[in-house]
Amino acid sequence: MVRIDDILDKHLEKRPNADISKIQRAYIYSAKQHEGQLRKSGEPYMVHPLSVAKITAEMGLDESSICSALLHDTIEDTSTTVEDLTNLFGTEVADIVDG
Protein backbone atom coordinates (compact mmCIF):
# COMPACT_ATOMS: atom_id res chain seq x y z
CA MET A 1 0.00 0.00 0.00
CA VAL A 2 1.16 3.53 -0.77
CA ARG A 3 2.10 5.48 2.35
CA ILE A 4 1.61 9.20 2.88
CA ASP A 5 5.38 9.54 3.27
CA ASP A 6 5.83 8.20 -0.28
CA ILE A 7 3.55 10.94 -1.56
CA LEU A 8 5.22 13.68 0.47
CA ASP A 9 8.68 12.55 -0.63
CA LYS A 10 7.66 12.57 -4.29
CA HIS A 11 6.01 15.97 -3.94
CA LEU A 12 9.09 17.46 -2.28
CA GLU A 13 11.27 15.92 -4.98
CA LYS A 14 9.23 17.77 -7.63
CA ARG A 15 8.64 20.91 -5.54
CA PRO A 16 11.45 21.26 -2.97
CA ASN A 17 10.03 24.40 -1.34
CA ALA A 18 6.49 23.06 -0.94
CA ASP A 19 4.53 23.45 2.28
CA ILE A 20 3.31 19.91 2.91
CA SER A 21 1.24 20.68 6.02
CA LYS A 22 -2.03 21.00 4.05
CA ILE A 23 -1.41 17.61 2.42
CA GLN A 24 -0.75 16.05 5.82
CA ARG A 25 -4.00 17.52 7.16
CA ALA A 26 -5.95 16.25 4.13
CA TYR A 27 -4.54 12.77 4.64
CA ILE A 28 -5.49 12.69 8.32
CA TYR A 29 -8.98 14.03 7.59
CA SER A 30 -9.59 11.56 4.76
CA ALA A 31 -8.30 8.62 6.82
CA LYS A 32 -10.62 9.53 9.69
CA GLN A 33 -13.62 9.94 7.38
CA HIS A 34 -12.99 6.60 5.65
CA GLU A 35 -12.11 4.76 8.86
CA GLY A 36 -13.62 1.27 8.85
CA GLN A 37 -14.57 1.42 5.16
CA LEU A 38 -13.32 -1.35 2.91
CA ARG A 39 -13.08 -1.66 -0.85
CA LYS A 40 -14.81 -4.58 -2.57
CA SER A 41 -11.41 -6.31 -2.59
CA GLY A 42 -11.40 -6.19 1.22
CA GLU A 43 -8.55 -3.66 1.31
CA PRO A 44 -8.85 -0.53 3.45
CA TYR A 45 -10.65 2.20 1.52
CA MET A 46 -7.66 4.56 1.83
CA VAL A 47 -5.70 2.43 -0.66
CA HIS A 48 -7.51 4.23 -3.48
CA PRO A 49 -7.16 7.89 -2.37
CA LEU A 50 -3.50 7.29 -1.53
CA SER A 51 -2.88 5.77 -4.96
CA VAL A 52 -4.56 8.70 -6.71
CA ALA A 53 -2.59 11.18 -4.61
CA LYS A 54 0.67 9.40 -5.48
CA ILE A 55 -0.08 9.72 -9.20
CA THR A 56 -0.92 13.39 -8.69
CA ALA A 57 2.39 13.95 -6.87
CA GLU A 58 4.31 12.07 -9.57
CA MET A 59 2.80 14.43 -12.14
CA GLY A 60 4.24 17.36 -10.19
CA LEU A 61 0.89 18.93 -9.43
CA ASP A 62 0.40 21.39 -6.57
CA GLU A 63 -0.70 20.92 -2.97
CA SER A 64 -4.37 21.63 -3.73
CA SER A 65 -4.39 18.90 -6.37
CA ILE A 66 -2.82 16.36 -4.04
CA CYS A 67 -5.23 17.32 -1.24
CA SER A 68 -8.14 16.93 -3.64
CA ALA A 69 -6.88 13.48 -4.63
CA LEU A 70 -6.80 12.42 -0.99
CA LEU A 71 -10.25 13.88 -0.33
CA HIS A 72 -11.96 13.09 -3.63
CA ASP A 73 -14.40 10.49 -2.26
CA THR A 74 -15.20 12.13 1.06
CA ILE A 75 -18.27 14.00 -0.15
CA GLU A 76 -19.62 10.96 -1.99
CA ASP A 77 -18.82 8.25 0.56
CA THR A 78 -18.82 9.92 3.99
CA SER A 79 -20.79 12.52 5.91
CA THR A 80 -18.42 15.27 4.70
CA THR A 81 -20.03 18.23 2.95
CA VAL A 82 -18.66 20.76 0.48
CA GLU A 83 -18.94 23.33 3.26
CA ASP A 84 -16.78 21.16 5.54
CA LEU A 85 -14.05 20.96 2.89
CA THR A 86 -14.30 24.70 2.17
CA ASN A 87 -13.85 25.51 5.84
CA LEU A 88 -10.98 23.07 6.34
CA PHE A 89 -9.09 23.22 3.03
CA GLY A 90 -10.35 26.25 1.12
CA THR A 91 -12.58 26.88 -1.85
CA GLU A 92 -10.16 25.56 -4.48
CA VAL A 93 -9.90 22.09 -2.91
CA ALA A 94 -13.63 21.95 -2.15
CA ASP A 95 -14.49 22.91 -5.75
CA ILE A 96 -12.16 20.29 -7.20
CA VAL A 97 -13.52 17.55 -4.92
CA ASP A 98 -17.11 18.57 -5.63
CA GLY A 99 -16.44 18.62 -9.36
Side-chain angles (χ1 to χ4, degrees), residues 11-82:
H11 185 58
L12 288 169
E13 178 184 309
K14 300 277 188 177
R15 294 175 178 247
N17 298 319
D19 177 3
I20 59 171
S21 62
K22 188 174 177 180
I23 297 170
Q24 291 168 317
R25 287 188 306 109
Y27 166 70
I28 292 166
Y29 184 84
S30 184
K32 285 181 180 178
Q33 293 303 305
H34 290 296
E35 188 173 8
Q37 291 181 340
L38 300 175
R39 304 208 46 87
K40 286 185 180 182
S41 65
E43 295 176 299
Y45 192 87
M46 280 303 293
V47 167
H48 175 64
L50 284 165
S51 295
V52 174
K54 183 176 182 225
I55 292 166
T56 306
E58 288 171 344
M59 294 172 65
L61 299 179
D62 65 5
E63 291 83 8
S64 291
S65 298
I66 297 171
C67 289
S68 299
L70 288 166
L71 297 164
H72 78 271
D73 281 331
T74 56
I75 293 173
E76 182 178 335
D77 295 331
T78 75
S79 61
T80 300
T81 66
V82 175

